[in-house]
Amino acid sequence: LSVDVTLWTTKHVRAWVARCLEMPKAAPYFRRCDGMELLMLPIRESARKAVRQKTRKPGEKASYIEEKYNITSMMQRKKLLLEIQALLAIRRNQRQRSAEGFEVENWKKIDILDWLYHDVKLPQYADAFANAPLDGWFLLALTPQLLLLVPALL
């Protein structure tokens, strides 16, 4: 497997879930999940829980991972999230050290969202950016005036 999780294909993700997480029964449910989507799971999970705590209807699943990937065991969901967070921590460390290839202009959407959550501590903006086509160049081009327009841009 490539060290850069964002380059993983759906096949790589399924292999990682089956072998590294020892969850072979869950692996087939990840057939549409590539490395970028995998890294987005903690953000999607926390966003879903925040929304569903307020508006949950009877029979509706509170967990994004349970609904999308059919992982009904809370322990397995927690294991998955902890392992993904470890992958994100490695990426964050490389980004914070400005390792080669991790200059801001090379950032991917997950780097921007992770930066908002962990480095500048502004998670309330991550949801606005989560479904937008973002990259490092977009972040570098942002001005205070553009930031006011972000909801309309996204």
Side-chain angles (χ1 to χ4, degrees):
L1 292 174
S2 170
V3 176
D4 186 352
V5 179
T6 63
L7 300 177
W8 288 5
T9 65
T10 58
K11 186 176 179 180
H12 292 122
V13 171
R14 287 192 313 272
W16 180 76
V17 169
R19 295 185 192 117
C20 297
L21 297 184
E22 298 176 345
M23 295 170 38
K25 290 181 181 176
Y29 292 103
F30 287 80
R31 67 184 167 278
R32 291 192 179 101
C33 182
D34 61 11
M36 284 293 290
E37 177 62 22
L38 182 73
L39 292 176
M40 292 287 291
L41 286 181
I43 294 167
R44 295 190 195 287
E45 183 75 2
S46 66
R48 168 67 65 89
K49 285 189 177 182
V51 168
R52 291 283 167 94
Q53 284 177 351
K54 297 174 187 173
T55 62
R56 190 169 175 196
K57 296 176 178 92
E60 209 170 31
K61 296 176 180 166
S63 168
Y64 176 83
I65 294 169
E66 181 180 3
E67 185 176 300
K68 180 112 175 164
Y69 299 102
N70 202 36
I71 298 177
T72 56
S73 164
M74 188 184 332
M75 293 296 287
Q76 286 186 331
R77 289 195 306 268
K78 187 69 170 172
K79 180 180 181 178
L80 174 68
L81 288 170
L82 286 172
E83 291 295 334
I84 294 169
Q85 288 166 353
L87 294 171
L88 283 167
I90 292 167
R91 201 168 172 82
R92 186 177 315 120
N93 186 310
Q94 291 173 322
R95 189 178 64 244
Q96 289 169 342
R97 288 185 296 118
S98 294
E100 189 173 331
F102 269 91
E103 297 82 12
V104 175
E105 59 270 13
N106 295 326
W107 285 10
K108 297 180 180 176
K109 181 194 306 194
I110 190 62
D111 299 310
I112 296 169
L113 296 173
D114 191 65
W115 173 75
L116 282 169
Y117 265 89
H118 298 284
D119 296 349
V120 295
K121 309 279 190 240
L122 294 170
Q124 66 272 24
Y125 294 104
D127 289 340
F129 285 87
N131 294 316
L134 301 175
D135 60 18
W137 288 109
F138 178 87
L139 187 64
L140 288 172
L142 267 180
T143 63
Q145 294 81 15
L146 276 176
L147 200 52
L148 294 173
L149 299 172
V150 163
L153 290 174
L154 306 176

